[in-house]
Amino acid sequence: MASKDKNSAQKPAASKKPSTAQEGKDAKAQRELGIVGPHGDMRLASVIIEGYSLELSDGEGYVGDVASRTAFRHMLDAWRKLYASMEGKDPMGTKPTRELSKHKLDALLEKDGVAAQAIEAASEDYAMQLAHVVQRFLKHKTWRGVERIIIGGGFHQSEVGGRAIDGTRKILKAEKVPVELRTLRHHADEGGLIGWVHLAPPALLQSYDAILAVDIGGTNVRCGIVQTHLHRAPDLSLAEVVRREKWAHANDEPLRDELVEGIATLLEGLIAYAEKKKIRLAPYIGVACPGLIVEDGSLAGGTQNLPGNWESTRFHLPRDLCERLPHIGDGRTQVCLHNDAVVQGLSEMPFMQDVKRWAVLTVGTGLGNASYTNRQPPEFE
């Protein structure tokens, strides 16, 4: 599988805008088509999205905030300071906790020294918090009856994160909470892209080889070509990302419109790659981002980790992205928007057919969430 990550701090170059009258007309048509959607669809052919971006308050803040990757860093920082005061020196060196990569933390854990003790203590704290969040969510009406929870985001892909999630499983079992925890089977950079094959119009999937997908996070943007392999697996269980680009935009601190422009540039590169490799791309781009998605493609809350005002009435992400893009093949490009946790969870749908109710928690800058109910075939509904 051809794959590429772009982790450099260099921002993608700006894409060219239409310069002729005809291109201007085409751009206007694209904008209008980009508004069509449907955006944030909650009822799909095989599954109902019961809810997402659930924000439960505990009186001091939102429950999910205590189980984000940011929260884990705060826990680790507290233990690090405690051990530093006892040992007379910082067991993790001089770098701030927020700058320690998960690979560095895994290496410190493997050395089994004082630093490892601090990391293990933070992991135990995190496990207790995540178990608390799971139990709170399971009491909400959109989560009642959930039998399985998928833990997404990149946290579980480290040894540190894996231990914390194992600890959560043990706590839930000890407290007799009837739910199974699993981790996302796809790489964290790909789950939020692959999920789009379950949201794209079926007719498009049958007529083309692949679609373009975007996953916008508070730290990174991921763009990719998702090949469906529909002819080999009608349930889309073999869908894969055959090319991806990753931009750590938080390092560049772009303005909102600069971020959109950078995404368009990454997509243009993927379109060129597909043409070179003779991959038939559908004229469709799925865009996942944090927040509440309105049917018209606007955003209503939950975008605080993104740069600038994404909820402005003068900003429409599908339209603004669509007008920056060229045609894909012979059709006008349609851009569809949905919540990032919803899309990442949908990447697991082919493997959730043995349960009726399931959910996803994505551990990132914040804690994304979504819950689902599998639908029976129409004749049984």
Side-chain angles (χ1 to χ4, degrees), residues 340-351:
D340 55 349
V342 167
V343 178
Q344 191 169 136
L346 287 175
S347 71
E348 292 284 322
M349 194 166 73
F351 317 105

Side-chain angles (χ1 to χ4, degrees), residues 63-89:
V63 171
D65 290 346
V66 302
S68 66
R69 188 177 63 228
T70 305
F72 173 77
R73 296 282 177 171
H74 289 322
M75 295 172 200
L76 179 56
D77 199 47
W79 280 104
R80 177 181 179 178
K81 290 175 181 175
L82 177 61
Y83 275 91
S85 67
M86 292 189 298
E87 297 291 320
K89 64 177 182 178

Side-chain angles (χ1 to χ4, degrees), residues 2 13 16 41 93 107 125 131 147 161 175 186 209 243 257 287-288 315 333 372 380:
K16 294 180 180 178
D41 198 358
D125 282 353
E147 304 162 70
E175 297 186 9
H186 300 292
D209 298 330
R243 179 79 170 185
D257 291 349
V287 180
F315 177 69
T333 306
Y372 313 84
F380 297 111

Side-chain angles (χ1 to χ4, degrees), residues 192 196 213-217 286-290 336-341 343-344:
W196 274 107
V214 180
D215 184 8
I216 306 173
V287 180
C289 72
C336 191
L337 189 64
H338 217 308
N339 175 266
D340 55 349
V343 178
Q344 191 169 136

Side-chain angles (χ1 to χ4, degrees), residues 39-44 47-52 199 338 342 371:
H39 305 283
D41 198 358
M42 300 290 281
R43 295 183 68 87
L44 309 181
V47 70
I48 296 170
I49 302 162
E50 298 289 353
Y52 66 89
L199 286 160
H338 217 308
V342 167
S371 58

Side-chain angles (χ1 to χ4, degrees), residues 19 31 60 82 184 201 207 288 291 350 353:
S19 57
R31 288 197 299 272
E60 297 180 359
L82 177 61
L184 194 73
S207 303
Q353 299 310 301

